Amino acid sequence: MKLTKSQMKKLQVTEHAVKRAKERFNRRDRNDVLNFCKAHLGAAQYIGKTTSDNGEGLMFSRHGVMIVLSEDLSKVITLMEIENRSHIARTEPNTPLYKKLKSLYETEIRKLERSEKSCNKKVDYIKAELNVELSQLNLKLLKTRSESIRCACKARINAIETYIKDKESELCNIQSEKKKIIKALACIV
């Protein structure tokens, strides 16, 4: 995946990206950051979709710089410097080891993306289904005068909320694992 010339012209930089570029790459101002990003994105390689606190983004990598763009490729969300990972073999692109490592990482990323999509769908379905039950329990809690029914409703509400948090945590673990693999792939590209 490469950015077109029209996408490059329309590219914008978020405040967060400007702040990170100043911290990590000693850039002066917004225009300097934008030019830096465009220079790297021109020859950068697409690594994969990543998730952060700001939502999902598309990660590109080139010469020790990882750039995360919004899904519509209109904004630079953040920039990262690839950490020194001496345990990952740095190989030349035309060697068999490089091709095998790259293929392995790409396969693992696709596998995790499928798991993430499936888990996300399950979490949405579970939330929708259990929100109906939560609403009914809250209504029952408001209507009843019986203390035992109140305790039972509160216990079930807590159980449902815990179950939802567990499923969301499972999704976060998959996203975290995918992010690690994407960063590892960026290290060898």
Side-chain angles (χ1 to χ4, degrees):
M1 174 187 295
K2 294 280 185 190
L3 272 71
T4 62
K5 288 183 181 181
S6 64
Q7 288 172 324
M8 287 286 227
K9 285 181 183 178
K10 294 177 185 176
L11 193 64
Q12 297 176 349
V13 184
T14 64
E15 286 299 320
H16 176 77
V18 171
K19 180 180 173 184
R20 294 295 178 239
K22 286 179 180 179
E23 284 174 8
R24 298 171 180 160
F25 301 103
N26 298 321
R27 298 288 133 194
R28 293 181 303 278
D29 57 10
R30 182 177 290 277
N31 285 335
D32 188 27
V33 172
L34 186 60
N35 291 334
F36 177 78
C37 291
K38 285 180 179 180
H40 279 278
L41 286 170
Q45 184 170 350
Y46 173 70
I47 303 298
K49 231 182 209 186
T50 186
T51 311
S52 68
D53 298 338
N54 302 331
E56 289 191 344
L58 304 176
M59 185 179 285
F60 292 82
S61 176
R62 178 177 179 252
H63 295 300
V65 178
M66 287 188 285
I67 300 173
V68 179
L69 300 179
S70 61
E71 285 192 270
D72 61 357
L73 302 172
S74 65
K75 293 180 191 157
V76 176
I77 296 173
T78 191
L79 293 96
M80 292 175 264
E81 192 170 15
I82 295 176
E83 303 154 10
N84 181 12
R85 295 182 180 216
S86 57
H87 62 281
I88 297 175
R90 192 87 175 140
T91 60
E92 293 301 314
N94 295 329
T95 61
L97 179 60
Y98 173 83
K99 291 174 185 172
K100 286 180 182 178
L101 280 174
K102 186 176 178 204
S103 174
L104 180 68
Y105 284 135
E106 288 171 344
T107 302
E108 192 64 23
I109 289 169
R110 284 192 302 274
K111 184 176 105 180
L112 287 169
E113 283 176 344
R114 285 191 305 270
S115 295
E116 178 186 22
K117 187 176 180 180
S118 171
C119 189
N120 200 8
K121 193 173 182 178
K122 284 179 189 174
V123 167
D124 288 343
Y125 181 78
I126 287 168
K127 277 181 169 179
E129 195 173 64
L130 292 178
N131 279 335
V132 172
E133 188 178 348
L134 278 173
S135 297
Q136 291 171 343
L137 287 168
N138 282 323
L139 182 61
K140 191 175 184 178
L141 192 63
L142 289 172
K143 285 184 175 182
T144 190
R145 288 192 241 170
S146 170
E147 193 60 37
S148 62
I149 292 177
R150 257 177 226 222
C151 289
C153 288
K154 286 179 183 178
R156 180 66 183 146
I157 288 171
N158 288 338
I160 289 171
E161 289 173 348
T162 303
Y163 183 71
I164 290 172
K165 286 178 185 173
D166 288 345
K167 290 298 175 186
E168 287 174 339
S169 175
E170 191 178 306
L171 177 62
C172 286
N173 289 340
I174 292 170
Q175 290 171 338
S176 174
E177 188 65 27
K178 187 177 96 173
K179 194 182 293 187
K180 288 177 189 174
I181 300 295
I182 285 174
K183 286 183 179 181
L185 177 59
C187 288
I188 67 164
V189 173

